[in-house]
Amino acid sequence: YNPDLVTLEAISDTRCLILLGEPGLGKTQALRTEQSLLESKIEQAGQTLLFVDLAQYGSEDRLIRELFSSPEFLSWEQGSHQLHVFLDSFDECLLKIETLATLLSEKFKHYQKSADRLYLRITCRTAIWPIILEDNIREIWGKDQVGVYELAPLRRIDIVEAASTSNLSPETFVEEIQKKKLTSLAIKPITLKF
């Protein structure tokens, strides 16, 4: 019913992609899916991929060192190939590094002239996403090269498919969800598994 819905595959060419969503909607899974779809293409094209789980970082120094001074990033900086940077769990890192939005903005601005060789993917909870970072990213990559998308909750058809895949009766499963008023849990992949 929502004509604005798109698949991850349809937006995968976006140079800078920001995936937002509620906890448990599958932001990390979406990022991992895109990573696995791109890995062989990237390798064949002589490009590089760097996946960083920001939830692991509690200090600016360590993040700068392991992201911007990583072998992948330094090789890209000195070379002429494309680099695909995946930054997962922005919101979790923001709890520990309050200056994260400013830090990333400033660091990526240093590479603005090479932004045409840099693909960026970031996941974050919708309510926590800082507009200042989004504005800076648009300034660095250009408005047409940035896409901000919010993950949609699971649809009934998705729940039916999950039940079938798990060898459950889809009709009985959906009836039980409705009878027990568990729709809010069923529409999120992480709680649907419960």
Side-chain angles (χ1 to χ4, degrees):
Y1 298 116
N2 186 344
D4 296 326
L5 289 178
V6 294
T7 63
L8 186 58
E9 187 177 2
I11 57 176
S12 64
D13 286 338
T14 306
R15 190 156 298 278
C16 182
L17 187 60
I18 300 157
L19 297 177
L20 305 176
E22 299 289 320
L25 269 185
K27 296 179 297 295
T28 297
Q29 184 59 44
L31 211 59
R32 290 285 184 190
T33 298
E34 185 178 11
Q35 175 191 6
S36 65
L37 291 172
L38 285 175
E39 278 178 328
S40 62
K41 291 178 187 175
I42 288 171
E43 195 173 303
Q44 289 173 356
Q47 301 173 4
T48 310
L49 188 142
L50 177 61
F51 193 102
V52 178
D53 181 359
L54 294 173
Q56 299 177 15
Y57 295 90
S59 77
E60 286 186 13
D61 294 339
R62 181 174 165 233
L63 176 58
I64 289 170
R65 186 174 58 252
E66 293 184 15
L67 173 56
F68 296 100
S69 296
S70 68
E72 295 88 351
F73 204 92
L74 293 174
S75 171
W76 168 80
E77 186 179 7
Q78 296 165 4
S80 60
H81 62 282
Q82 302 277 332
L83 174 65
H84 298 257
V85 177
F86 290 72
L87 301 178
D88 191 24
S89 304
F90 178 90
D91 49 299
E92 292 180 44
C93 186
L94 191 58
L95 296 172
K96 299 176 235 168
I97 304 176
E98 294 176 2
T99 58
L100 183 60
T102 307
L103 173 72
L104 290 177
S105 293
E106 288 176 5
K107 292 302 285 182
F108 281 121
K109 276 183 184 177
H110 289 292
Y111 305 101
Q112 188 167 1
K113 291 181 180 176
S114 301
D116 62 327
R117 297 189 301 113
L118 184 61
Y119 282 82
L120 180 64
R121 304 291 186 255
I122 303 176
T123 65
C124 184
R125 292 182 185 172
T126 305
I128 296 175
W129 177 246
I131 296 301
I132 190 166
L133 179 57
E134 184 176 328
D135 291 343
N136 287 330
I137 286 173
R138 288 185 191 282
E139 187 179 310
I140 295 166
W141 273 270
K143 292 178 184 179
D144 296 342
Q145 297 297 319
V146 179
V148 181
Y149 295 90
E150 189 165 359
L151 271 66
L154 295 175
R155 303 162 298 168
R156 181 185 183 105
I157 193 170
D158 302 319
I159 295 166
V160 166
E161 184 177 332
S164 294
T165 303
S166 299
N167 295 321
L168 300 171
S169 164
E171 298 81 19
T172 305
F173 189 65
V174 170
E175 283 175 24
E176 287 297 312
I177 288 171
Q178 292 172 335
K179 189 164 82 176
K180 294 182 178 168
K181 299 182 180 184
L182 297 172
T183 303
S184 61
L185 293 175
I187 62 173
K188 295 181 180 179
I190 197 164
T191 50
L192 177 63
K193 290 179 184 179
F194 296 157

